[in-house]
mmCIF file of all heavy atoms in Angstrom:
data_model
loop_
_atom_site.group_PDB
_atom_site.id
_atom_site.type_symbol
_atom_site.label_atom_id
_atom_site.label_comp_id
_atom_site.label_asym_id
_atom_site.label_seq_id
_atom_site.Cartn_x
_atom_site.Cartn_y
_atom_site.Cartn_z
ATOM 1 N N GLN B 81 17.761 1.437 23.301
ATOM 2 C CA GLN B 81 18.670 0.890 22.298
ATOM 3 C C GLN B 81 19.109 2.103 21.449
ATOM 4 O O GLN B 81 18.299 2.998 21.292
ATOM 5 C CB GLN B 81 18.114 -0.117 21.465
ATOM 6 C CG GLN B 81 17.592 -1.386 22.235
ATOM 7 C CD GLN B 81 16.671 -2.340 21.524
ATOM 8 O OE1 GLN B 81 16.394 -2.179 20.419
ATOM 9 N NE2 GLN B 81 16.061 -3.339 22.315
ATOM 10 N N PRO B 82 20.234 2.007 20.735
ATOM 11 C CA PRO B 82 20.684 3.115 19.901
ATOM 12 C C PRO B 82 19.643 3.502 18.940
ATOM 13 O O PRO B 82 19.518 4.792 18.540
ATOM 14 C CB PRO B 82 21.981 2.539 19.285
ATOM 15 C CG PRO B 82 22.382 1.617 20.252
ATOM 16 C CD PRO B 82 21.248 0.893 20.895
ATOM 17 N N GLU B 83 18.883 2.528 18.370
ATOM 18 C CA GLU B 83 17.799 2.890 17.349
ATOM 19 C C GLU B 83 16.664 3.552 17.966
ATOM 20 O O GLU B 83 15.782 4.102 17.181
ATOM 21 C CB GLU B 83 17.304 1.575 16.591
ATOM 22 C CG GLU B 83 16.980 0.485 17.473
ATOM 23 C CD GLU B 83 18.025 -0.523 17.862
ATOM 24 O OE1 GLU B 83 19.164 -0.153 17.892
ATOM 25 O OE2 GLU B 83 17.708 -1.710 17.884
ATOM 26 N N ASP B 84 16.530 3.858 19.225
ATOM 27 C CA ASP B 84 15.529 4.590 19.785
ATOM 28 C C ASP B 84 15.936 6.072 19.706
ATOM 29 O O ASP B 84 15.052 6.947 19.921
ATOM 30 C CB ASP B 84 15.401 4.276 21.266
ATOM 31 C CG ASP B 84 14.798 2.898 21.500
ATOM 32 O OD1 ASP B 84 14.083 2.415 20.619
ATOM 33 O OD2 ASP B 84 15.146 2.208 22.558
ATOM 34 N N SER B 85 17.158 6.373 19.297
ATOM 35 C CA SER B 85 17.596 7.760 19.142
ATOM 36 C C SER B 85 16.757 8.535 18.098
ATOM 37 O O SER B 85 16.624 7.966 16.905
ATOM 38 C CB SER B 85 19.102 7.896 18.770
ATOM 39 O OG SER B 85 19.851 7.372 19.849
ATOM 40 N N ALA B 86 16.047 9.579 18.343
ATOM 41 C CA ALA B 86 15.226 10.294 17.461
ATOM 42 C C ALA B 86 14.622 11.361 18.240
ATOM 43 O O ALA B 86 14.872 11.692 19.375
ATOM 44 C CB ALA B 86 14.075 9.399 17.004
ATOM 45 N N VAL B 87 13.769 12.280 17.465
ATOM 46 C CA VAL B 87 12.929 13.242 18.174
ATOM 47 C C VAL B 87 11.514 12.721 18.495
ATOM 48 O O VAL B 87 10.987 12.091 17.540
ATOM 49 C CB VAL B 87 12.904 14.580 17.326
ATOM 50 C CG1 VAL B 87 12.079 15.556 18.134
ATOM 51 C CG2 VAL B 87 14.285 15.043 17.095
ATOM 52 N N TYR B 88 11.078 12.869 19.675
ATOM 53 C CA TYR B 88 9.758 12.345 19.993
ATOM 54 C C TYR B 88 8.781 13.529 20.321
ATOM 55 O O TYR B 88 9.162 14.519 20.959
ATOM 56 C CB TYR B 88 9.871 11.477 21.276
ATOM 57 C CG TYR B 88 10.575 10.234 20.927
ATOM 58 C CD1 TYR B 88 12.006 10.119 21.103
ATOM 59 C CD2 TYR B 88 9.908 9.038 20.798
ATOM 60 C CE1 TYR B 88 12.642 8.918 20.761
ATOM 61 C CE2 TYR B 88 10.516 7.791 20.543
ATOM 62 C CZ TYR B 88 11.904 7.737 20.517
ATOM 63 O OH TYR B 88 12.606 6.567 20.304
ATOM 64 N N PHE B 89 7.625 13.395 19.695
ATOM 65 C CA PHE B 89 6.653 14.481 19.883
ATOM 66 C C PHE B 89 5.337 13.872 20.521
ATOM 67 O O PHE B 89 4.905 12.790 20.237
ATOM 68 C CB PHE B 89 6.218 15.025 18.474
ATOM 69 C CG PHE B 89 7.265 15.852 17.782
ATOM 70 C CD1 PHE B 89 7.993 15.260 16.828
ATOM 71 C CD2 PHE B 89 7.436 17.144 18.147
ATOM 72 C CE1 PHE B 89 9.003 15.945 16.139
ATOM 73 C CE2 PHE B 89 8.338 17.822 17.349
ATOM 74 C CZ PHE B 89 9.121 17.220 16.440
ATOM 75 N N CYS B 90 4.877 14.670 21.463
ATOM 76 C CA CYS B 90 3.631 14.291 22.064
ATOM 77 C C CYS B 90 2.505 15.193 21.451
ATOM 78 O O CYS B 90 2.824 16.317 20.825
ATOM 79 C CB CYS B 90 3.566 14.458 23.623
ATOM 80 S SG CYS B 90 3.754 16.148 24.144
ATOM 81 N N ALA B 91 1.377 14.749 21.500
ATOM 82 C CA ALA B 91 0.231 15.588 20.881
ATOM 83 C C ALA B 91 -1.003 15.331 21.655
ATOM 84 O O ALA B 91 -1.205 14.292 22.322
ATOM 85 C CB ALA B 91 0.016 15.229 19.450
ATOM 86 N N ALA B 92 -1.907 16.343 21.710
ATOM 87 C CA ALA B 92 -3.251 16.255 22.298
ATOM 88 C C ALA B 92 -4.198 16.703 21.398
ATOM 89 O O ALA B 92 -4.104 17.643 20.652
ATOM 90 C CB ALA B 92 -3.313 17.036 23.651
#
Side-chain angles (χ1 to χ4, degrees):
Chain B
Q81 300 167 4
E83 51 264 38
D84 293 330
S85 296
V87 178
Y88 292 81
F89 292 98
C90 63

